[in-house]
Amino acid sequence: MNKRRDQLKVMMAPITAPPAPSEDRPTRSPVSSGSLKAMGLSLQSLSDDADEAHALRAQLASGAQVVELDPNLVDPAFIRDRLNVSDGDEFEAFKAGLSEDGQQVPILVRPRADAPGRYQAAYGHRRVAALRALGRPVKAIVRELSDEELIVAQGKENTDRKDLSFIERALFAARLEDRGFSRTAIMSALSVPKGNLSTMISLVRELPEDLIVAIGAAPKIGRPRWEQLASLVKQGDEKWREAVSDPDFQTAQSDARFERVLKALVRRPKKPATHIVKSDDGKQVARIQRAKDQTRLTIDNRHAPDFGAYLVDQLPEIYAAFKRRADA
């Protein structure tokens, strides 16, 4: 474990840009690695940071320049890949980490041709939101990107970091298709094979988008549970609308919101109607339970020890009388 942690520390060492080719071109400042002690980071967090460090090294090695931008000038991508970007305790912890350690990895933006002076983020939306709330500039790499290049970069960054939930990836894929992107481009953006992509998009098509958005990322909920929810919604039950309109719904964690909706839609079998037959002195003689497919009669032998035997003897005649009445 210590050996692996040491390797991660090496990968997170301060990163500098390549040397300037001439005296006229200013050198780029090192990007601080920050402290690995903050927030009691787990080993998974260290792995994520190491992945980011590798990505940043590649960006700088390719000649990308890191600049500081006003986060208020950075607009979100034209298709959002995240749900609940700035909600909940997780975001507050993320913001606190940025406040203490600073921004370690720059975001990727492109200049907006339709709004000079403004930029559109390919990825890094949480960083933008957190730094905007903190009143700090955001470190960014600015590139000219086509729409397809932007969504490929957007999907690739989140795929590499593995921090998008199943439903976020599926919804992102469906939204990209709605904007006219080819399945080939979407497969490249999400790094998923054709069959998986078709399943993801089909599942989203079976669910109202406002329901998905209301539930949120639900990071612990995988494809089988979402398929179960979709099958229930397809039956036409609208009880999920009551669930999401509950004042306490949005205060719950996203995974808990999913469970609430699922619980509202799961149809539990109705208890059979029960009728009690009592003697003149109030003692229970028989219990009759009537369900859709059967009627069950239970005789209490403690209070009517001979009644059960009598009823069994008379049952053929009772049934015959019933038939005569039905045929009359």
Side-chain angles (χ1 to χ4, degrees):
M1 182 71 74
N2 290 335
K3 182 178 179 181
R4 185 173 181 181
R5 185 177 289 112
D6 291 341
Q7 291 173 339
L8 293 175
K9 288 182 178 179
V10 170
M11 287 188 285
M12 288 299 293
I15 302 167
T16 58
S22 70
E23 293 181 358
D24 296 331
R25 184 175 178 181
T27 59
R28 300 174 190 127
S29 301
V31 178
S32 172
S33 66
S35 171
L36 294 179
K37 63 181 177 59
M39 305 297 292
L41 291 174
S42 64
L43 185 58
Q44 180 60 49
S45 298
L46 293 175
S47 298
D48 290 343
D49 290 343
D51 290 341
E52 291 180 340
H54 278 308
L56 182 54
R57 288 182 190 279
Q59 290 168 346
L60 293 176
S62 69
Q65 185 172 3
V66 179
V67 299
E68 289 191 343
L69 301 175
D70 180 349
N72 293 303
L73 297 178
V74 180
D75 300 319
F78 55 88
I79 298 180
R80 299 295 291 272
D81 52 7
R82 286 186 184 274
L83 297 166
N84 317 115
V85 170
S86 57
D87 291 342
D89 296 337
E90 232 177 79
F91 177 74
E92 291 303 317
F94 177 75
K95 188 170 69 174
L98 280 179
S99 177
E100 182 173 342
D101 295 331
Q103 181 188 354
Q104 306 306 312
V105 180
I107 67 170
L108 177 63
V109 301
R110 68 175 179 181
R112 286 191 56 175
D114 60 338
R118 298 193 67 84
Y119 302 87
Q120 187 172 56
Y123 56 73
H125 294 89
R126 279 202 308 169
R127 277 164 275 178
V128 173
L131 290 166
R132 184 184 294 126
L134 292 169
R136 296 183 183 180
V138 58
K139 296 173 184 175
I141 293 171
V142 182
R143 285 186 185 157
E144 294 289 345
L145 299 168
S146 67
D147 284 354
E148 186 165 323
E149 288 171 334
L150 185 142
I151 64 106
V152 168
Q154 183 179 4
K156 184 70 167 61
E157 194 260 359
N158 284 314
T159 298
D160 288 345
R161 294 185 60 199
K162 299 180 177 64
D163 61 350
L164 286 185
S165 68
F166 166 78
I167 199 62
E168 284 179 310
R169 286 162 57 79
L171 182 59
F172 183 46
R175 286 173 170 175
L176 289 175
E177 187 173 67
D178 289 341
R179 287 290 294 259
F181 288 97
S182 68
R183 289 282 175 102
T184 301
I186 302 171
M187 285 189 290
S188 178
L190 291 175
S191 299
V192 294
K194 185 176 181 180
N196 289 10
L197 180 64
S198 297
T199 299
M200 293 163 68
I201 293 177
S202 296
L203 176 61
V204 169
R205 302 291 187 220
E206 294 174 354
L207 289 164
E209 185 168 326
D210 53 344
L211 172 57
I212 297 174
V213 172
I215 290 173
K220 295 181 182 178
I221 308 299
R223 191 188 79 184
R225 304 290 306 286
W226 280 102
E227 288 177 336
Q228 180 187 7
L229 181 63
S231 68
L232 292 171
V233 171
K234 282 171 62 177
Q235 295 174 16
D237 195 329
E238 294 286 315
K239 287 183 180 178
W240 65 266
R241 297 188 183 278
E242 298 177 15
V244 302
S245 63
D246 189 307
D248 296 332
F249 184 80
Q250 287 302 325
T251 61
Q253 294 293 324
S254 183
D255 292 313
R257 295 200 292 266
F258 177 93
E259 298 293 352
R260 286 194 185 187
V261 171
L262 187 66
K263 183 178 180 181
L265 293 178
V266 171
R267 297 179 179 178
R268 293 172 177 78
K270 294 181 178 179
K271 292 183 178 180
T274 301
H275 178 67
I276 304 297
V277 178
K278 295 182 179 181
S279 62
D280 293 339
D281 57 1
K283 293 180 180 179
Q284 179 176 311
V285 174
R287 175 189 293 269
I288 304 168
Q289 291 181 311
R290 299 186 64 181
K292 180 180 179 181
D293 299 323
Q294 65 178 0
T295 298
R296 177 177 295 180
L297 173 62
T298 304
I299 306 298
D300 192 333
N301 289 330
R302 295 172 304 168
H303 302 142
D306 300 325
F307 180 56
Y310 171 80
L311 190 60
V312 170
D313 290 340
Q314 296 297 315
L315 198 56
E317 178 56 33
I318 294 173
Y319 181 71
F322 164 76
K323 288 292 292 180
R324 288 195 296 272
R325 179 178 178 184
D327 295 339

